[in-house]
Amino acid sequence: MANVRYRLDGFEIDLSTRTISGPDGVIHVEPQVYDVTVYLLEHRDVAVSKIELMEAIWGDQFISESALTSRIKSARAALGDNGRDQRVIRTVHGFGYQFVAPAQPVGASDAGAGEPRARRTSLPRFADPLRGRSAELGEIAALIERHPLVTLVGTGGTGKTRLAVEVVGAATAPERPPVFVDLAASRDASALPLAIAAAVGIETGDRPDVLAAVGEYLAAVPHTLIVDNCEHVLDAAAAAITELLAASDHSRILATSREPLGVAGERLYRLGPLGTVDPSAAAAVDVEVLEQSPAAQLFVDRARLADDEWQLDASTAERIAELCRALDGLPLAIELAAGRVSAFGLDDLVGVLDRRLDVLGDRSSVREHRHRTLRATVEWSYDLLDEPERRLFRALSVLPGGVSLDAVEWLSAQLELDVDGLAALARLVDASFLTRASGPAGSRYVQLETLRAFGVDQLDEHDEAPAVRRVAAEYVVAALERIRNGMNTADEVHWTNRLRAEMPNIRFARQYFDGADDVDQLLAMSRLLAGWARLRDATEVWSWSDDLVDRLPADDPRASTALAMQAQATWRRGDFVAAQQIATRALESAVDDWTVSQAKWELGAALLFAGDLAGATTAWVEADRIDRDGLALGAAAVATGYTGDLAAARQLLERAANATTTPQSAAAWLNYCRAEVDNVAGEANTTALEQAIESARALDAPFIEGVATVTLASQYTAMGDTERAAAKYSDLIGLWLRSGSWTQLWTTLRQASELLADRHPRTALAILRAAEADHTSSAALDPDSAARLGELTERLEAAVDESVPPLPRLTVAEHTRSALADLVG
């Protein structure tokens, strides 16, 4: 619920009753005086022009400027402002007015303010406290509850991203989980849809309309999206947001941009700088006064991070207040300055800022003034670096995902920077040009987007961009090889996290090699990612093979490798016949063992889902003769178990266990395969399934987690534990929708139909009808399941009077999740 009242010194403005109250009770003012007051109050972060104010209050009706002045005078009088001090409403000469009195929003948004709130792991985390934004937090939260699209507008460096994350993390309703969409890495409009899909967690495969796929998912599962850094792809961001909101009535979007998107229905919230110490507010600035300034507190926080020995005391308070005013309270500018305090000391630091920042250069526009302040701060800090450090900073700016230490050493060596790369890195961190972020993959060094954009501009100015982009893309390929090797060790979890962290850089490298038409490097990247992607349902990676196949003539020796990988994407989206044909073509022209093994793997999967269990077993056994890692034998054991030959299936499992290599993913996969064979035998091996699921989650391997959970849910159904089964199936539907794995989605939906048959017979029949009509629905994998589903269909047809036509799979998925929620409680 929105805030409905604002309090300021001795007065209260109640938006619900449209009244202004003072110490002696309600103050009676004419409606237009109230409207002028509230409009200035609600836009208090900026000066409002006279023209804007007159249009907002009177519309097309003519009103003289003197009439407006009269209303301003009455508004001031109502709030105890004598017009001379202008402590409530300030006149901006030659322009308009600004509401300058501190106003505290109160009312419904205060309820439960002290209660702890769960933080969503899908949002970025910040170690330091948010300074000086309590009022904004409540106001933006109220807006996002009432309106589908709110855009947080402000100049670069005002803290829009941080504030958006805090708002959504604290106020998002449970039914709309939060998602952070960072458009900083989307250097052109074509990359934007994939960035949104990746953030939401949807693998769209080869679907040409990526945004349509995202919209379909959000229609079924509403979210609250933070769409961050829209300004450099403004038109594309506006078009994408319009499409997503049209597709999903119940989703919410909080965008951040340096200018409005211009989308119909957009509500703007303009974010100003942090509050600084008013020199006229106190006779002297001491520590106590400084603690009331959010800008000063931010400086103190960051100065202590930069230098453990730095101390705040009475002798430094005045200088800090002066410095924060010189920087206009802009968070990024303050952070950069605080990073240099140990090098210069406060006195010299303020002196340098006074010379280098054109703070008073242009008063014609508040926004332009702030923009120039930020740019001047960046240029000043940049000028203080040595040239080798500048070169490293410029080089790092091409990698949108940040870098690890090995990237810095690689770039330093390849670009012949003639400097110790790690020493230069430390210098950049000290100067706040890089931020060290700790995560599951270890430390990464990232640039704020404003700084990264500055670095890219500098690359162009120095004619370095082509060479640096090439070297950086080659680094990504080298990093992928290191990651691939690391995943075959006991430290697989670390390297899996490292790969996830590198994904923005991987996309950059692929885009670079795509533009350079470097097929060899594109093929190398896909091969290096193949082992990781197989057990993780990484459809984005597999879909890259479609482009490779299109690039290569059929008689090119490399075409077979591209075909072998293309077969995976094809069977995952449910086209089993085409997948078999593609895999067969790859085998016919394969020139190396890797391609043969890959093609056999995908041929086995396509045959399994097409119902050829013997053919699938043969393909996987032949793949194992090359791989020798036990994974293909585990899959062969499952296919053999579906035929009913349990003895042969368990022999294959034993061989697989003896061959399994170190990675945890192999153990998780075989735990699932073992439990699946036991399940076919009528033995509920929940322990093996739970172990597989737990390991898969640690490895961020949703494919293993998903197939194991399908079997676990079916066992809950058999045990009569309806509530737990329904909860598992509901989670699974969301997982398969995100991954775009229609094959696995239909497997889950058909099994859910058995659970829903008694209480939701129409939904259960709709599932079976749609599965029968959709070519991406795999056949039942064993004779018992086929017979059981056939009998269920006949029973439901007899029980449901009206006709149930086949429905689109997304509609069926949505209906199924709704029915499952009823079973959960």
Side-chain angles (χ1 to χ4, degrees):
M1 182 181 295
N3 294 304
V4 295
R5 289 177 292 154
Y6 287 85
R7 287 179 185 160
L8 50 158
D9 187 19
F11 296 88
E12 183 174 286
I13 300 173
D14 192 325
L15 304 186
S16 62
T17 61
R18 290 178 58 84
T19 58
I20 300 175
S21 301
D24 300 322
V26 175
I27 300 169
H28 298 284
V29 297
E30 66 176 293
Q32 291 169 345
V33 172
Y34 173 86
D35 291 338
V36 165
T37 304
V38 170
Y39 192 89
L40 290 172
L41 170 65
E42 292 184 330
H43 297 78
R44 61 191 180 279
D45 56 324
V46 294
V48 178
S49 71
K50 295 177 182 178
I51 294 175
E52 178 183 348
L53 195 54
M54 288 189 286
E55 288 180 349
I57 306 304
W58 288 274
D60 295 331
Q61 179 182 350
F62 173 77
I63 180 173
S64 67
E65 188 168 318
S66 62
L68 173 62
T69 303
S70 174
R71 268 70 172 192
I72 292 291
K73 182 177 180 180
S74 297
R76 283 173 171 154
L79 296 172
D81 187 349
N82 60 19
R84 292 188 302 273
D85 297 335
Q86 297 188 5
R87 65 181 184 80
V88 177
I89 297 175
R90 179 174 65 89
T91 299
V92 181
H93 294 290
F95 183 74
Y97 304 93
Q98 183 171 10
F99 197 103
V100 294
Q104 177 65 39
V106 296
S109 64
D110 287 317
E115 298 173 4
R117 297 177 183 268
R119 293 286 177 174
R120 304 281 184 171
T121 56
S122 58
L123 297 178
R125 295 182 178 182
F126 301 92
D128 55 305
L130 180 67
R131 293 292 185 185
R133 299 296 193 190
S134 58
E136 291 92 335
L137 282 169
E139 291 162 0
I140 298 168
L143 283 175
I144 199 66
E145 280 300 310
R146 296 198 308 269
H147 305 285
L149 171 63
V150 176
T151 303
L152 192 53
V153 177
T155 190
T158 51
K160 300 184 294 295
T161 300
R162 174 66 186 276
L163 186 57
V165 170
E166 291 286 340
V167 169
V168 172
T172 298
E175 63 270 21
R176 289 196 305 268
V179 169
F180 184 79
V181 183
D182 187 1
L183 300 186
S186 302
R187 302 305 298 175
D188 56 65
S190 64
L192 188 145
L194 281 176
I196 296 175
V200 175
I202 296 175
E203 303 286 355
T204 57
D206 67 338
R207 288 192 61 172
D209 194 342
V210 174
L211 281 176
V214 176
E216 290 171 356
Y217 175 66
L218 293 179
V221 188
H223 282 63
T224 297
L225 275 64
I226 298 174
V227 183
D228 195 41
N229 293 303
C230 295
E231 59 273 355
H232 63 296
V233 284
L234 195 67
D235 292 340
I241 287 172
T242 300
E243 182 173 342
L244 293 179
L245 289 177
S248 178
D249 294 337
H250 300 294
S251 288
R252 292 286 187 272
I253 293 179
L254 178 57
T256 74
S257 178
R258 297 185 190 181
E259 58 184 296
L261 300 175
V263 173
E266 177 186 29
R267 292 301 300 262
L268 297 180
Y269 191 97
R270 295 187 179 276
L271 184 64
L274 293 173
T276 58
V277 175
D278 184 351
S280 64
V285 178
D286 56 19
V287 173
E288 183 176 350
V289 170
L290 205 67
E291 288 175 348
Q292 306 306 310
S293 165
Q297 284 303 299
L298 176 61
F299 181 91
V300 171
D301 289 346
R302 294 309 175 93
R304 285 172 173 163
L305 284 176
D307 184 358
D308 291 337
E309 297 180 0
W310 186 85
Q311 295 293 326
L312 168 65
D313 55 35
S315 65
T316 59
E318 181 69 47
R319 278 305 201 189
I320 292 172
E322 182 181 353
L323 183 140
C324 290
R325 286 196 300 271
L327 296 175
D328 277 355
L330 291 169
L332 177 57
I334 290 169
E335 292 174 8
L336 290 171
R340 304 303 301 154
V341 69
S342 62
F344 288 93
L346 278 172
D347 288 341
D348 287 344
L349 185 60
V350 171
V352 173
L353 283 174
D354 287 341
R355 294 196 303 272
R356 301 301 299 245
L357 296 181
D358 189 15
V359 176
L360 303 176
D362 185 358
R363 289 289 186 179
S364 63
S365 165
V366 173
R367 183 171 184 176
E368 177 65 18
H369 174 87
R370 294 172 184 166
H371 172 74
R372 289 166 10 121
T373 298
L374 177 62
R375 183 165 184 83
T377 305
V378 175
E379 289 176 340
W380 160 73
S381 297
Y382 179 77
D383 288 344
L384 296 176
L385 299 173
D386 293 335
E387 181 54 26
E389 294 159 355
R390 293 182 196 142
R391 289 190 64 197
L392 179 60
F393 165 72
R394 296 195 295 264
L396 295 179
S397 68
V398 305
L399 292 169
V403 294
S404 56
L405 294 180
D406 59 304
V408 175
E409 293 179 309
W410 171 283
L411 292 171
S412 299
Q414 296 297 314
L415 295 172
E416 299 180 349
L417 296 185
D418 192 27
V419 66
D420 182 333
L422 298 187
L425 174 70
R427 173 84 166 90
L428 292 174
V429 173
D430 288 342
S432 296
F433 275 92
L434 289 173
T435 300
R436 185 178 70 85
S438 297
S443 294
R444 288 189 76 78
Y445 298 86
V446 298
Q447 294 172 331
L448 296 173
E449 175 54 22
T450 302
L451 295 175
R452 200 170 76 82
F454 180 83
V456 170
D457 289 344
Q458 289 295 310
L459 276 177
D460 291 334
E461 285 189 22
H462 290 79
D463 296 323
E464 295 171 340
V468 169
R469 284 170 57 82
R470 175 183 55 77
V471 169
E474 290 172 350
Y475 156 74
V476 172
V477 178
L480 277 178
E481 184 169 8
R482 187 180 177 198
I483 290 169
R484 190 271 315 273
N485 294 337
M487 284 186 179
N488 290 323
T489 69
D491 205 11
E492 184 183 12
V493 172
H494 167 80
W495 292 104
T496 297
N497 290 325
R498 170 69 184 275
L499 193 147
R500 287 293 186 189
E502 291 286 356
M503 280 306 296
N505 296 339
I506 291 169
R507 294 188 181 102
F508 150 76
R510 187 175 182 278
Q511 185 179 35
Y512 172 81
F513 291 129
D514 179 72
D517 198 25
D518 193 333
V519 176
D520 285 333
Q521 291 284 38
L522 291 170
L523 200 59
M525 290 181 67
S526 290
R527 284 185 61 154
L528 289 168
L529 286 164
W532 170 80
R534 171 173 288 131
L535 299 180
R536 288 166 177 83
D537 208 11
T539 313
E540 176 188 0
V541 173
W542 291 110
S543 66
W544 294 345
S545 58
D546 294 333
D547 174 67
L548 286 169
V549 169
D550 291 340
R551 286 176 183 268
L552 293 168
D555 58 352
D556 190 306
R558 299 170 294 179
S560 59
T561 300
L563 287 167
M565 291 184 287
Q566 186 186 43
Q568 164 111 188
T570 305
W571 73 256
R572 284 194 187 277
R573 55 183 177 251
D575 198 342
F576 312 121
V577 174
Q580 292 175 58
Q581 294 171 345
I582 292 169
T584 300
R585 286 169 54 200
L587 289 168
E588 289 172 349
S589 56
V591 294
D592 60 77
D593 286 345
W594 189 93
T595 300
V596 172
S597 173
Q598 182 70 41
K600 290 287 186 182
W601 246 106
E602 312 319 333
L603 178 62
L607 290 170
L608 176 80
F609 287 106
D612 186 352
L613 303 177
T617 298
T618 299
W620 276 321
V621 169
E622 291 174 352
D624 178 73
R625 291 173 184 162
I626 299 172
D627 289 334
R628 299 293 185 186
D629 60 7
L631 298 179
L633 287 179
V638 172
T640 302
Y642 289 154
T643 69
D645 191 347
L646 297 175
R650 286 185 167 128
Q651 287 178 354
L652 287 168
L653 284 172
E654 185 176 353
R655 288 173 54 192
N658 291 333
T660 298
T661 51
T662 305
Q664 293 166 269
S665 59
W669 174 249
L670 288 183
N671 274 333
Y672 156 70
C673 295
R674 187 177 300 108
E676 185 70 9
V677 171
D678 290 343
N679 190 58
V680 173
E683 304 168 7
N685 191 344
T686 57
T687 299
L689 288 170
E690 289 167 352
Q691 290 174 347
I693 292 168
E694 182 180 356
S695 298
R697 285 176 179 165
L699 292 161
D700 191 20
F703 182 76
I704 302 177
E705 178 185 352
V707 293
T709 304
V710 170
T711 303
L712 184 60
S714 71
Q715 291 183 358
Y716 287 149
T717 301
M719 292 185 291
D721 193 341
T722 300
E723 187 166 345
R724 291 176 74 182
K728 291 295 184 185
Y729 282 132
S730 182
D731 290 344
L732 281 165
I733 291 169
L735 186 151
W736 301 132
L737 283 171
R738 288 191 297 274
S739 71
S741 182
W742 309 127
T743 299
Q744 299 299 334
L745 176 64
W746 281 121
T747 300
T748 299
L749 290 173
R750 280 198 313 275
Q751 292 197 13
S753 70
E754 300 181 78
L755 193 66
L756 297 172
D758 292 334
R759 288 175 56 176
H760 295 276
R762 196 175 191 283
T763 299
L765 184 57
I767 294 171
L768 297 172
R769 284 272 184 256
E772 183 180 358
D774 195 324
H775 78 280
T776 65
S777 171
S778 61
L781 298 184
D782 61 85
D784 289 342
S785 296
R788 190 172 66 251
L789 290 174
E791 292 172 3
L792 178 61
T793 302
E794 293 178 4
R795 178 160 65 86
L796 291 171
E797 287 174 340
V800 178
D801 294 335
E802 71 244 58
S803 170
V804 180
L807 298 173
R809 62 188 172 211
L810 290 171
T811 302
V812 173
E814 182 179 359
H815 289 175
T816 303
R817 292 190 81 179
S818 178
L820 290 169
D822 178 60
L823 297 186
V824 172

